[in-house]
């Protein structure tokens, strides 16, 4: 049978702290007509080729409106997008359970581009990125550091044909202060040299640029 996804999500997401679908999955659930229209325009290039900041903001806004605290959209080779609620009560759950600083995580909007990688296969890349994201949260890192780790783990994954052989975790680098956090420095390890120029931070409607090098 067919599922009325907006109705279902409005019932379920108030009980969900972190939701991490792909942008295509989110479009199909939240706005199938829009997905179909973008798919027709994109043709063989795929729907991802039609994704922009306004679309990401709108989709994540719907998820937050339906009650989730942290909305994360996987963007394939384009990276990962995050938007969080401004509801202090909602974020207090993450603060109590994970030790995150609710003030740092409140009302954030960040797009993290991917690392450069030697592509061998993409099996499990999205799952590995999610694992990296959750691992960062468990380490009580900032949103920026969590997303950096997530795209780094995804980049490791695609350098091997299977789902886990490419993963490189906890490799120390000489200057841990490069990221200002020992955990992040160890986590990113040998991938620093392949990082793109930085993270695009979108706060309060304005676009900022944070360079790591």
């Amino acid at each position: 049978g067919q599922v009325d996804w907006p109705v279902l999500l409005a019932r379920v997401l108030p009980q969900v702290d972190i939701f991490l679908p792909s942008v295509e999955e989110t479009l199909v659930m939240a706005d199938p007509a829009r997905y179909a229209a973008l798919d027709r325009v994109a043709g063989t290039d795929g729907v991802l080729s039609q994704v922009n900041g306004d679309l990401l903001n709108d989709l994540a806004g719907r998820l937050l409106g339906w009650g989730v605290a942290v909305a994360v959209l996987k963007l394939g080779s384009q990276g990962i997008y995050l938007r969080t609620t401004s509801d202090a009560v909602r974020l207090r759950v993450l603060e109590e359970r994970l030790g995150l600083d609710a003030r740092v995580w409140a009302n954030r909007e960040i797009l993290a581009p991917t690392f450069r990688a030697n592509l061998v296969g993409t099996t499990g890349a999205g799952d590995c990125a999610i694992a990296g994201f959750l691992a960062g949260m468990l380490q009580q890192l900032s949103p920026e550091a969590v997303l950096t780790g997530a795209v780094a783990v995804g980049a490791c994954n695609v350098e091997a044909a299977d789902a886990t052989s490419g993963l490189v975790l906890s490799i120390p680098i000489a200057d841990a202060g490069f990221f200002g956090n020992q955990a992040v420095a160890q986590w990113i390890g040998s991938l620093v040299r392949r990082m793109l120029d930085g993270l695009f931070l979108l706060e309060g409607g304005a676009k900022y640029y944070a360079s790591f090098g």
Side-chain angles (χ1 to χ4, degrees):
Q2 294 185 347
V3 176
D4 189 331
W5 285 107
V7 171
L8 178 63
L9 292 173
R11 292 175 57 186
V12 171
L13 289 184
Q15 312 304 319
V16 175
D17 297 319
I18 310 160
F19 191 43
L20 303 98
S22 70
V23 67
E24 297 100 325
E25 291 167 340
T26 307
L27 265 172
V28 168
M29 291 185 291
D31 196 340
R34 191 174 188 180
Y35 176 89
L38 291 175
D39 188 47
R40 286 193 296 271
V41 172
T44 58
D45 291 333
V47 170
L48 267 177
S49 66
Q50 302 300 308
V51 172
N52 56 35
D54 290 338
L55 175 60
L56 294 174
N57 180 276
D58 176 58
L59 289 176
R62 296 192 195 195
L63 297 177
L64 295 177
W66 285 327
V68 75
V70 178
V72 181
L73 302 179
K74 295 177 293 178
L75 307 175
S77 62
Q78 297 184 33
I80 300 178
Y81 170 86
L82 170 142
R83 188 175 170 191
T84 66
T85 182
S86 59
D87 186 341
V89 174
R90 198 70 179 80
L91 288 171
R92 194 172 299 136
V93 175
L94 293 176
E95 190 170 55
E96 293 172 351
R97 294 178 180 174
L98 300 179
L100 297 173
D101 187 339
R103 295 169 300 177
V104 173
W105 279 82
N107 197 30
R108 302 300 305 275
E109 185 179 18
I110 305 173
L111 172 62
T114 55
F115 285 79
R116 293 191 179 94
N118 299 314
L119 179 62
V120 176
T122 60
T123 300
D127 292 334
C128 285
I130 289 175
F133 185 93
L134 296 177
M137 295 191 85
L138 290 173
Q139 292 186 59
Q140 301 174 353
L141 302 180
S142 68
E144 293 89 345
V146 167
L147 284 175
T148 300
V151 293
V153 175
C156 285
N157 164 271
V158 303
E159 294 198 329
D162 64 280
T164 58
S165 296
L167 299 187
V168 180
L169 300 179
S170 297
I171 298 176
I173 58 175
D175 182 11
F178 185 77
F179 283 92
N181 184 298
Q182 178 68 33
V184 179
Q186 291 180 335
W187 198 14
I188 303 305
S190 63
L191 293 177
V192 170
R193 70 184 184 278
R194 285 179 289 166
M195 186 170 186
L196 293 177
D197 293 333
L199 296 174
F200 289 98
L201 312 181
L202 298 100
E203 307 289 356
K207 182 176 288 188
Y208 297 86
Y209 183 75
S211 176
F212 289 116

